[in-house]
Amino acid sequence: MIALYWLWMGFALCTGLILGSFSNVAIGRWAVDKSVVAPRSHCPYCGTTLGPSELVPVLSWLWLRGKCGTCSSPIAPTYPLIELLGGLLGLLVYRRVIPNAASVDAAHLTAWAVLTVFVILLVIAAYVDLRHWIIPDQTSVYAIPFAVLSVVVLQFMDYDGWMAITWQTSVIGALVGAGALAAVSMVTRFIYGYQALGWGDVKLMGFIGAMVGPLPVIFVVFLVGSIIGSVVGLAYLLVRRRNGMLPFGPSLVLAAILYVLYGDVLTRVLVPGVGLALGWT
């Protein structure tokens, strides 16, 4: 049983690496609303279609020494870094959802798969938001049905592990998440005369709420995201010595991923009464 646990852990790592490779494709294409299916992966400089040996996560970049095998144009190191991040997240989510060999069953493995796809979509949203100041609909509003359907499947499988919610809770979470951020956006616009939060952030919070549920989770994610955004904004001000707008999406993404991995700890610290009521002692 223990050997099977470690075997699945290796599978989780490899799956995360592959999803990280997919993230590189999605980041470049969803930002300009293009398909991730066609055309096939190719060098952005010479247009050469990449072969199987050039698509192995991380290892292909190392083998090619960070250059295209045809035209020798440089391949940015962000590509293997995102693949490594995908592998790390796949592993961490596995450890969170399946903490021991006794938890290795179809329901828990399905929950791991769902939450891994969830965090990968969040990574894509954050990176695109950082580079282009937009959040692709594929990682926000279009992803909400995926979240609700995943919860339905897990509920049908009688999953009762970490972050197990009902489909009703998922729908309410989407409405509360999007509604709460929409309200904050409209209030700040009324007070300050400009829109501090974009509608992409609103849709992203709807997706997050659909996967993690409503209160107190939405409050914890928004609070942690706000703290992260404030710290990053202050650091930006100190380094650049000037005010500047920064996208809020990446802060929400990091907060949501932290909740997936350490939500019980965050809830105990930030909302201690709720943590005790839920039995997170």
Side-chain angles (χ1 to χ4, degrees):
M1 197 67 180
I2 295 178
L4 182 63
Y5 178 79
W6 286 97
L7 181 64
W8 276 110
M9 185 181 295
F11 178 79
L13 173 64
C14 293
T15 301
L17 289 170
I18 293 171
L19 289 176
S21 181
F22 165 80
S23 298
N24 284 320
V25 178
I27 285 168
R29 299 191 185 186
W30 283 349
V32 291
D33 202 24
K34 289 185 177 180
S35 170
V36 295
V37 178
R40 291 175 54 191
S41 296
H42 57 276
C43 173
Y45 298 99
C46 65
T48 301
T49 299
L50 303 181
S53 63
E54 298 171 295
L55 295 173
V56 181
V58 182
L59 296 180
S60 289
W61 189 86
L62 293 173
W63 174 257
L64 295 170
R65 298 181 180 179
K67 297 179 181 179
C68 171
T70 302
C71 67
S72 297
S73 296
I75 303 173
T78 52
Y79 284 88
L81 289 176
I82 290 175
E83 291 167 349
L84 286 171
L85 177 60
L88 176 63
L89 289 174
L91 195 59
L92 290 175
V93 172
Y94 177 85
R95 292 284 292 172
R96 170 78 257 201
V97 178
I98 309 176
N100 51 57
S103 303
V104 179
D105 57 36
H108 283 78
L109 288 170
T110 302
W112 159 76
V114 166
L115 291 177
T116 300
V117 172
F118 173 59
V119 298
I120 290 296
L121 288 173
L122 292 181
V123 168
I124 296 170
Y127 196 95
V128 174
D129 199 19
L130 279 173
R131 290 193 62 183
H132 303 282
W133 282 75
I134 60 172
I135 295 177
D137 285 341
Q138 293 89 336
T139 62
S140 56
V141 65
Y142 295 163
I144 292 176
F146 158 77
V148 176
L149 181 60
S150 297
V151 170
V152 170
V153 171
L154 290 174
Q155 190 176 356
F156 177 78
M157 299 178 72
D158 293 325
Y159 172 69
D160 60 354
W162 172 240
M163 288 183 59
I165 61 176
T166 65
W167 71 264
Q168 295 94 331
T169 304
S170 176
V171 172
I172 294 172
L175 295 174
V176 171
L181 223 62
V184 171
S185 178
M186 289 185 287
V187 168
T188 54
R189 183 178 180 84
F190 177 77
I191 295 175
Y192 299 109
Y194 63 89
Q195 191 166 313
L197 297 173
W199 289 108
D201 299 324
V202 173
K203 292 182 286 186
L204 176 65
M205 198 63 168
F207 173 44
I208 293 172
M211 186 59 71
V212 303
L215 299 173
V217 182
I218 290 297
F219 172 75
V220 173
V221 171
F222 182 72
L223 179 58
V224 173
S226 298
I227 293 172
I228 294 171
S230 299
V231 171
V232 172
L234 180 60
Y236 180 86
L237 177 62
L238 293 174
V239 172
R240 295 295 184 94
R241 299 187 180 278
R242 62 179 181 180
N243 290 322
M245 292 290 291
L246 295 173
F248 187 47
S251 298
L252 284 177
V253 164
L254 182 55
I257 292 176
L258 287 174
Y259 187 87
V260 170
L261 299 177
Y262 312 107
D264 47 352
V265 177
L266 291 173
T267 304
R268 281 202 304 267
V269 172
L270 299 174
V271 199
V274 174
L276 289 174
L278 294 173
W280 295 341
T281 57

